[in-house]
Structure formats: structure tokens, C-alpha cells
């Protein structure tokens, strides 16, 4: 009688170890297979800024020459190394419309034109009254549109031509899940 009890106990132990080993092995295989996000992809439309860039490393100043300090809001930047050309102006126009479409979250987001040299706002300031003009060391950034979080991290980057719905979708998703800014 003791042989059958120890045999049954041994079988139960082996079954429990097999179940644990299978679940551990399966989760490890799933981790290795999905590490780069290939099977399911991501839900964002923009590309993550890689390597990470922090606003404080860019040495930005506003149009009055005042250094940019920490601002606890989300930013949408249009980065253009030189003067704002037609593509840049189209992006600024799209982003103004996007800002209106944010409705109640519009006050959580600010817009800026970021250039290498300080430019005079002039006509652009008349067309886009809430646009902030920043200048600094943007040589490390590709010209385009950037989403910046309230901690000063550049999060997502888009080409200038994609200044509409892709940016709006990602920004709405970020604002929905974010408790900051």
C-alpha cells in the first residue's frame, strides 16, 4: 500500500513540475519572440526618438533670448533648421487645426517652432498668435514634428508632411493615459 501512495505522489509531483516548466518555458519563448514588437506592432503612428533627447540638452531660448525652463505641459514642436519654408508653414497650419481639435485638452498642449538661429516672428506671429518661437542647438534633430512630454523628453517624431491625423491620434492617446501636464 505504501508503494502505490508514493507512486501517486511522485506522479503528481512530476505533473506539477511539467506544468510549471511548460508555463515558464512558454512565457520565456513569448518574451524572446515578441521583444522587438514585430508580431503585434505598436499603436503609435510616429517613431520614438532614439537615442532619447532631453530639452535641457538643446540649449533653447525663446524669441526674447530667455532660456527655456521646465514647463509642465505637453509640446508639439515643428523643428526646422533654417527659415520656415512652405512645408513648414503647412505643418504649422495643420498643427493649429489639430490644437483646436483637442477640445478640452487644448490647454494641456503648447505649440512651438524650433529653429537653429533666432528668427523674427513677424508674419508667422500674426498668423499663429499662440505659437512660441524657440531657437537653439537642433543639429541633433531631424527636421520634423516632435511631441515633447511635460518632463522635457522628446517622445515621438513625425515627418513634416504627416502633421495631421497621425499626430492627433497619438497625442489624444498620450493625453488620455497621462496624468501629468
Amino acid at each position: 500500500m505504501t508503494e502505490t501512495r508514493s507512486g501517486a505522489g511522485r506522479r503528481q509531483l512530476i505533473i506539477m513540475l511539467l506544468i510549471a516548466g511548460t508555463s515558464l518555458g512558454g512565457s520565456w519563448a513569448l518574451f524572446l519572440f515578441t521583444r522587438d514588437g514585430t508580431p503585434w506592432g505598436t499603436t503609435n503612428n510616429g517613431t520614438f526618438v532614439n537615442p532619447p533627447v532631453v530639452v535641457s540638452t538643446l540649449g533653447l531660448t525663446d524669441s526674447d533670448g530667455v532660456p527655456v525652463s521646465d514647463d509642465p505641459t505637453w509640446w508639439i514642436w515643428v523643428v526646422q533648421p533654417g527659415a520656415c519654408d512652405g512645408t513648414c508653414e503647412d505643418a504649422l497650419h495643420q498643427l493649429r487645426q489639430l490644437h483646436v481639435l483637442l477640445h478640452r485638452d487644448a490647454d494641456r498642449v503648447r505649440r512651438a517652432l524650433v529653429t537653429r538661429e533666432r528668427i523674427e516672428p513677424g508674419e508667422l506671429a500674426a498668423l499663429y498668435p499662440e505659437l512660441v518661437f524657440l531657437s537653439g542647438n537642433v543639429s541633433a534633430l531631424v527636421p520634423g514634428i516632435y511631441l515633447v512630454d511635460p518632463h522635457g523628453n522628446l517622445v515621438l517624431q513625425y515627418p513634416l508632411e504627416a502633421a495631421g491625423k497621425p499626430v492627433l491620434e497619438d497625442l489624444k492617446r498620450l493625453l488620455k493615459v497621462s496624468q501629468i501636464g
Side-chain angles (χ1 to χ4, degrees), residues 28-40:
W28 183 253
L30 187 63
F31 167 74
L32 291 177
F33 180 65
T34 61
R35 184 172 23 189
D36 61 351
T38 307
W40 295 294

Side-chain angles (χ1 to χ4, degrees), residues 2-15:
T2 57
E3 289 181 32
T4 57
R5 282 191 179 170
S6 65
R10 191 172 294 139
R11 262 184 302 210
Q12 287 178 346
L13 177 64
I14 290 172
I15 290 171

Side-chain angles (χ1 to χ4, degrees), residues 28-89:
W28 183 253
L30 187 63
F31 167 74
L32 291 177
F33 180 65
T34 61
R35 184 172 23 189
D36 61 351
T38 307
W40 295 294
T42 59
T43 58
N44 56 301
N45 295 309
T47 57
F48 289 107
V49 177
N50 195 10
V53 178
V54 180
V55 172
S56 60
T57 62
L58 300 175
L60 296 174
T61 58
D62 64 9
S63 56
D64 297 328
V66 178
V68 173
S69 60
D70 292 335
D71 186 3
T73 59
W74 288 85
W75 283 87
I76 305 172
W77 284 0
V78 175
V79 175
Q80 184 73 13
C84 194
D85 58 4
T87 309
C88 173
E89 288 182 18

Side-chain angles (χ1 to χ4, degrees), residues 83-157:
C84 194
D85 58 4
T87 309
C88 173
E89 288 182 18
D90 289 342
L92 288 174
H93 179 73
Q94 288 284 328
L95 293 180
R96 181 181 62 184
Q97 293 175 335
L98 178 146
H99 197 251
V100 171
L101 291 173
L102 288 174
H103 302 295
R104 65 174 183 225
D105 287 329
D107 59 338
R108 295 176 64 191
V109 180
R110 296 181 68 191
R111 296 172 290 129
L113 173 62
V114 183
T115 57
R116 186 172 297 139
E117 288 92 24
R118 188 174 309 148
I119 61 170
E120 290 299 319
E123 184 180 316
L124 287 175
L127 289 172
Y128 310 107
E130 294 179 7
L131 186 66
V132 178
F133 296 89
L134 304 175
S135 59
N137 183 17
V138 294
S139 57
L141 302 178
V142 176
I145 298 166
Y146 290 84
L147 293 182
V148 182
D149 72 5
H151 294 295
N153 302 308
L154 278 72
V155 180
L156 293 170
Q157 188 267 335

